[in-house]
Amino acid sequence: MPNRGDLPAGFRWGVSTAAYQIEGAVAEDGRGPSVWDVFCERPGAVKGGESGRIACDHYHRYGEDVELMRGLGVDGYRFSIAWPRIQPTGSGPANPAGLAFYDRLVDALLAAGITPLPTLFHWDLPQALEDGGGWLARDTAYRFAEYAELALDRLGDRVPAWITLNEPFVHMVFGYALGIHAPGRALMLDALPAAHHQLLGHGLAAGLLRERGHQVLIANNFTPVRPASEAPADVAAAEAYDALHNRLFTDPLLRGRYPDLSAYGVTPDLGGSVRPGDLELIAAAGLDGLGVNYYNPTRIAAPTEPGGLPFAEAEIDGVPRTAFGWPVVPDGLRELLLGLRTRYGNALPPITITENGCSTDATLDDGFRIDYLATHLDALAQAHAQGIDVRGYYTWSLIDNVEWAEGTSQRFGLVHVDFDTQRRTPKASYAWYRDLIATHRARQRGWAAGPRRP
Ligand code: BGC
Ligand code: BGC
């Protein structure tokens, strides 16, 4: 069976982070408040009353973090740009001090031989835009494209590829439908316009980035959906869930239309938000790659009570769980990628794994994480052997950070962070990942050099 040693030549190794989770310095150099700054102030919103006010202080310690990446030997770094640093109120001219931070970061990365892969939006919307409706407002899509252009103007000479949005699915569901994340709105299905407007923003930004010769990806959260049984009601519920989680964003991008959401009583215009020409614009922008964030599969059963959502989540038994309680099912990654190819065929762009990883309570001796990463990379190699065009893997995450509503209680880093002293200490998984990357490179060089002489 193929394993991680068989990932292709040219495969890109990386690590991922996001601005609000690591930067801190929320009021420095003209940064405006984001929805997360405001949300964290709500009593009970974030575990332990924590926030990203200081986080990993990466804004000041980015040099040390780049050195950690250089030590890993990664090809690429996926980070996100904080929109409220660039436009403190979400519109108007760029804040030069905000752009200057990413300028320094990009230069430091390039000097370390690491390709920057910025995500333009990883959930930290300028609060001023939220006050105008946030992603429920169509206008936010146009503001997003303007912001993207400001980032492109400043960094485009050194940044080859961009990710527009991170996990628009999770942002819509956790942020607008359930209210577990910022902006903390619990609108249930009335949150769907936040899906369409994110996609419209993606389409507008992707259009202009690609027109200017840049590569564009979008990163979403995907999960293979398994019905709890073969009973038709469970199968139908699983299909309904799959449409929402896996197809809501990907169908418009790759097929030019929304999936059938009639099981939810939702009309194809998503609550009236879809206007003529929108779907054409979103699909026409095109994608150079699909970013896949994978953590776990989902098991779905028929709903137990009528009148609510058309599915119920069921437990996945008999597998290990992360500190978060998420089931560990490495083969779900292979299943997911093969499923995407079956669904979208030749319309499926090359895949980059833009996030994959786990939280564990182990401080430095994180053998659990090493097993998690190793088995998922084996599954990825198997998907590749079965014909999936996969170009890279960016593990989540470089350093322990602010895990949104969980505060710092869930640690996903290859590097431990002591949040009192900001001291960084590489975990066992850091050394393991470094060696894996080095071995992969050495094999590539071996192949390139041809058979060895005695
Ligand atoms: C999902 C993860 C997702 C997370 C968002 C979980 O329920 O399983 O894949 O990233 O929610 O915080
Ligand atoms: C998000 C990350 C998050 C990770 C673990 C994804 O949902 O993009 O920001 O930290 O998964 O929950």
Side-chain angles (χ1 to χ4, degrees), residues 101-121:
F101 169 67
Y102 297 103
D103 212 60
R104 295 194 292 277
L105 175 63
V106 163
D107 283 345
L109 289 166
L110 293 174
I114 300 165
T115 305
L117 176 59
T119 300
L120 287 161
F121 180 70

Side-chain angles (χ1 to χ4, degrees), residues 392-407:
Y393 177 89
Y394 292 71
T395 196
W396 185 271
S397 180
L398 172 66
I399 48 180
D400 291 340
N401 55 50
V402 177
E403 176 52 33
W404 307 111
E406 301 294 320

Side-chain angles (χ1 to χ4, degrees), residues 411-423:
R411 292 175 174 269
F412 281 84
L414 302 179
V415 174
H416 178 268
V417 175
D418 176 329
F419 290 99
D420 295 324
T421 62
Q422 291 298 343
R423 177 148 180 228

Side-chain angles (χ1 to χ4, degrees), residues 21 122-123 166-167 293 295 326 355 396 403-404 412:
Q21 296 180 271
H122 200 128
W123 306 350
N166 175 69
E167 296 192 353
N293 294 1
Y295 289 94
W326 298 352
E355 281 183 34
W396 185 271
E403 176 52 33
W404 307 111
F412 281 84

Side-chain angles (χ1 to χ4, degrees), residues 123 167 170 174 181 221-223 245 293-298 313 324 326-327 355 403-404:
W123 306 350
E167 296 192 353
V170 174
F174 280 51
H181 281 182
N221 184 288
F222 292 93
T223 184
H245 194 133
N293 294 1
Y294 172 70
Y295 289 94
N296 51 255
T298 308
E313 208 168 331
F324 227 137
W326 298 352
E355 281 183 34
E403 176 52 33
W404 307 111

Side-chain angles (χ1 to χ4, degrees), residues 214-433:
H214 285 254
Q215 294 199 346
V216 175
L217 293 84
I218 184 170
N220 213 347
N221 184 288
F222 292 93
T223 184
V225 179
R226 300 163 173 184
S229 80
E230 290 314 310
D234 286 343
V235 173
E239 274 170 21
Y241 186 77
D242 187 42
L244 194 66
H245 194 133
N246 295 313
R247 298 179 57 183
L248 180 60
F249 294 88
T250 323
D251 275 18
L253 290 164
L254 303 181
R255 285 181 169 163
R257 57 173 189 269
Y258 278 107
D260 177 10
L261 295 176
S262 53
Y264 296 83
V266 167
T267 51
D269 65 355
L270 299 199
S273 55
V274 183
R275 298 206 187 150
D278 285 0
L279 285 164
E280 290 75 4
L281 183 150
I282 290 161
L287 278 176
D288 299 287
L290 183 66
V292 169
N293 294 1
Y294 172 70
Y295 289 94
N296 51 255
T298 308
R299 191 158 166 255
I300 293 291
T304 43
E305 284 164 32
L309 290 170
F311 64 84
E313 208 168 331
E315 286 292 316
I316 295 179
D317 297 320
V319 299
R321 293 194 172 255
T322 71
F324 227 137
W326 298 352
V328 179
V329 185
D331 195 54
L333 178 56
R334 189 188 60 89
E335 177 185 339
L336 164 66
L337 296 177
L338 293 178
L340 284 171
R341 193 188 46 194
T342 303
R343 179 167 287 164
Y344 298 109
N346 290 336
L348 185 68
I351 302 287
T352 294
I353 305 303
T354 35
E355 281 183 34
N356 174 243
C358 64
S359 61
T360 147
D361 296 329
T363 309
L364 297 179
D365 195 6
D366 59 344
F368 183 89
R369 174 170 294 106
I370 295 175
D371 282 348
Y372 184 99
L373 300 179
T375 50
H376 283 76
L377 282 162
D378 287 348
L380 188 61
Q382 282 148 26
H384 174 258
Q386 290 179 261
I388 301 295
D389 181 359
V390 50
R391 305 280 174 94
Y393 177 89
Y394 292 71
T395 196
W396 185 271
S397 180
L398 172 66
I399 48 180
D400 291 340
N401 55 50
V402 177
E403 176 52 33
W404 307 111
E406 301 294 320
T408 55
S409 68
Q410 296 295 333
R411 292 175 174 269
F412 281 84
L414 302 179
V415 174
H416 178 268
V417 175
D418 176 329
F419 290 99
D420 295 324
T421 62
Q422 291 298 343
R423 177 148 180 228
R424 276 93 161 125
T425 312
K427 305 180 190 178
S429 58
Y430 176 97
W432 178 85
Y433 197 48

Side-chain angles (χ1 to χ4, degrees), residues 40-41 45 99 129 165 170 216 296 374 392 449:
C40 289
E41 295 291 313
L99 279 173
L129 290 182
L165 307 175
V170 174
V216 175
N296 51 255

